[in-house]
Amino acid sequence: MAFLEIKNLKVSYGKAAVLEGVSFSLEKGETLAVIGPNGSGKTTLFKAILGAVPYEGEIIKEKNLKIGFVPQKLDLERDLPVTVEEFLALRHHGEESEKWSGKHSTKETLKMVGLDPSFLAKRIGELSSGELQRILIAWAVAGHPDLLLFDEPTASVDVAGQETVYELLYKLQDEHALTLILISHDLTVVYKYAPKVLCLNRTQVCLGVPSQVLTPQELEKLYGGERKFYRHNHAH
Amino acid sequence: MDSNFLYTLLAGSAIAAAGGMIGSFALLRRMALVGDALSHIALPGIALGLLFHFNPFFGAFTFLAFGTLIIWTVEHKTKLPVETLVGVAFTLSLAVGALLVPETDMLEALFGDITKISSLDVGVAFLISAMIIALLLVFYKKFSLTMISSDLSLSVGFNPHMLELLFLTIFALGVATGIKFTGALLMGSVVIIPAATARNVAGSMKSYLWLSAIFGVLDAVLGILLAKIYGFPPGPVFVIVAGFFFLISIFLRRK
């Protein structure tokens, strides 16, 4: 049985379908990148997997599947008086599982995402976008998930920071047999980190190995006139 | 000290402590104005209580509960902007209240008067305030997380929509209890100002939560004392004291 299987998924808001005809399956430890223009249903797909929106079709998850979710950003005011330590404590920590040996203290969780323990005392509103993203990953990871849904920020995180975040995700995946689904806006990231890609534009446009399915024709179909994505095609 | 004055102090402090704590959660999600406007929805309920001689608290709470339910439904089931609806509902309630409230009771309904409070009212105010604080502490993690990010709340298996409804109900309960103190027009300030003051000086969520309640009590005690000394109604004096502390807290603001 597949770890996660999605069959003919359809999500509608009111009468309009925002996502239709999506089918794919994932095995344990796999990485899937999801690409598509703005409003193509990427985040809606995450919400359906999380069970946050009603859908038609089937989403079959392995029994007791624990899902971690890293949102694009938090809409925070800078003076919010919530420390990183308090923020991390706002969730119930995951039970021990075979993949995640031992319980992790907040300090260890921070170390896992490459941040110094001194961050615990900082307020979440004063973090840079790159630091906040790591905290959000730490937050998701503290629940010892089997499947991690990662919504990449559209902008705001510099390229150098972005690269190390993917290396971090890769490391976590390696160490804990984590299955990853990442929404990406950058095709170079997709080529580099994802063996499998799903292209969405309200419907499923393509699914497969990036170098095979991301042909200029498919990308044209997916993004229309947005030619900047075109050039990335040779970055492989 | 006469017993009536003691009652006033006790009830005012209890209401302000609960109000401050409600505010600390509400301000996590820019709910200040929605919360303020919401409290005005109580006015027609107070009017009905006065007209038909039942405790205005029940009228106020019924209207507030109904108002929060409408706002919650609009937010989740339709695409109407909540602020617009709150603006409409607020002015509409004031208008209906203005027509219904007997002229002799108008000032009290709008600005409150806690000096005429009975020992039974004090007991009720205490009980409800304690219940509100207990509920907020029990749901501390769930409310905080939902206010900060409903997506994250959902991802760990909480139900953010239901938590929002629960929070709004607690909010309505707090406002209905406090109406006697500050009236329908000023009740929003009990919720907003102490929490806004605490937020300026608090370094963590925990201190923010407690400071909101403490500032509420401080404002209430000083406001009621000053009102007694100068013969003013306590509600407006409370708001002015609270506003004064807020101004000071701006200069103490953490960078």
Side-chain angles (χ1 to χ4, degrees), chain B residues 27-210:
Chain B
L27 292 197
L28 283 180
R29 191 192 271 182
R30 301 179 178 94
M31 273 172 69
L33 285 177
V34 171
D36 183 43
L38 190 63
S39 60
H40 307 315
I41 293 174
L43 195 63
I46 300 173
L48 291 179
L50 291 170
L51 281 177
F52 298 104
H53 306 290
F54 60 88
N55 193 330
F57 166 81
F58 296 109
F61 181 67
T62 310
F63 269 75
L64 284 164
F66 196 58
T68 51
L69 195 65
I70 290 178
I71 288 167
W72 179 79
T73 311
V74 166
E75 192 174 357
H76 294 298
K77 310 282 178 209
T78 74
K79 288 196 171 104
L80 277 177
V82 175
E83 267 121 70
T84 312
L85 181 90
V86 169
V88 173
F90 150 47
T91 40
L92 206 63
S93 314
L94 275 187
V96 174
L99 293 180
L100 288 181
V101 176
E103 212 171 312
T104 46
D105 297 314
M106 189 54 103
L107 266 183
E108 192 186 328
L110 287 178
F111 298 107
D113 188 0
I114 204 176
T115 52
K116 283 182 269 170
I117 200 163
S118 70
S119 60
L120 179 74
D121 283 338
V122 177
V124 171
F126 245 87
L127 211 69
I128 295 181
S129 300
M131 197 173 89
I132 289 172
I133 292 173
L135 274 173
L136 290 175
L137 292 178
V138 166
F139 286 95
Y140 160 74
K141 282 188 177 182
K142 292 185 174 179
F143 282 150
S144 306
L145 187 58
T146 306
M147 295 294 170
I148 292 171
S149 163
S150 56
D151 285 343
L152 284 183
S153 171
L154 188 95
S155 76
V156 293
F158 298 161
N159 185 339
H161 289 189
M162 290 321 287
L163 285 167
E164 279 161 23
L165 185 62
L166 179 63
F167 179 73
L168 284 172
T169 310
I170 293 174
F171 195 112
L173 196 63
V175 170
T177 315
I179 287 277
K180 234 193 171 67
F181 183 19
T182 56
L185 272 191
L186 295 180
M187 187 53 208
S189 63
V190 178
V191 174
I192 295 160
I193 305 180
T197 310
R199 186 177 168 136
N200 280 340
V201 294
S204 69
M205 180 72 195
K206 258 190 197 93
S207 59
Y208 168 50
L209 211 67
W210 289 111

